[in-house]
Amino acid sequence: MRKNSIKNTRINNEVQRELSEIIRTEIKDPRVSAAMVSVVSVEVTPDLKYCKAYISVLGNEEQAKEAVAGLKSAVGYIRRELAHRVNLRNTPEITFVPDQSIEYGVTMSRLIDEVTKDLKD
């Protein structure tokens, strides 16, 4: 199975949707606040053994580190819930990776706004 196959894309989307739901409704860890953590994207390997979940946290860098630490401590529970919800041959081992793409986009947008404001003056 190629990495960009239709099947792999569907699996990535399904795992992302279920991970978001599990984090939002099932995780009770205070470090992982439901309103602040979102799953940006998921990459499941073609052999379904490993999964990288890119996590975005609204807040400062310390809150992001705490949220990722909370998710890593609950990875066994999350994997078990994922196995119950998604019918896959193998349930992948999940690795949570902090994603700064949203923060980067906001920073770049702010810089562009400052430059265009200076040009208008």
Side-chain angles (χ1 to χ4, degrees), residues 33-81:
S33 174
M36 298 183 58
V37 176
S38 62
V39 180
V40 177
S41 68
V42 170
E43 293 177 3
V44 179
T45 57
D47 63 356
L48 305 177
K49 298 270 188 207
Y50 302 99
C51 169
K52 279 187 184 177
Y54 294 93
I55 304 298
S56 176
V57 180
L58 183 64
N60 60 24
E61 191 172 328
E62 184 63 33
Q63 290 172 326
K65 287 180 182 178
E66 288 180 5
V68 171
L71 289 171
K72 285 181 181 179
S73 70
V75 74
Y77 175 77
I78 294 170
R79 187 174 181 205
R80 184 170 51 94
E81 282 297 313

Side-chain angles (χ1 to χ4, degrees), residues 89-115:
R89 181 175 56 234
N90 298 319
T91 303
E93 292 182 24
I94 304 168
T95 305
F96 293 104
V97 180
D99 182 44
Q100 280 83 23
S101 63
I102 295 174
E103 290 178 27
Y104 180 75
V106 169
T107 303
M108 293 307 291
S109 178
R110 189 176 324 117
L111 290 173
I112 291 170
D113 289 344
E114 288 176 10
V115 169

Side-chain angles (χ1 to χ4, degrees), residues 19-31:
L19 277 179
S20 296
E21 183 70 19
I22 292 168
I23 291 171
R24 188 170 51 87
T25 60
E26 302 291 329
I27 302 298
K28 304 296 185 217
D29 192 328
R31 296 176 288 184

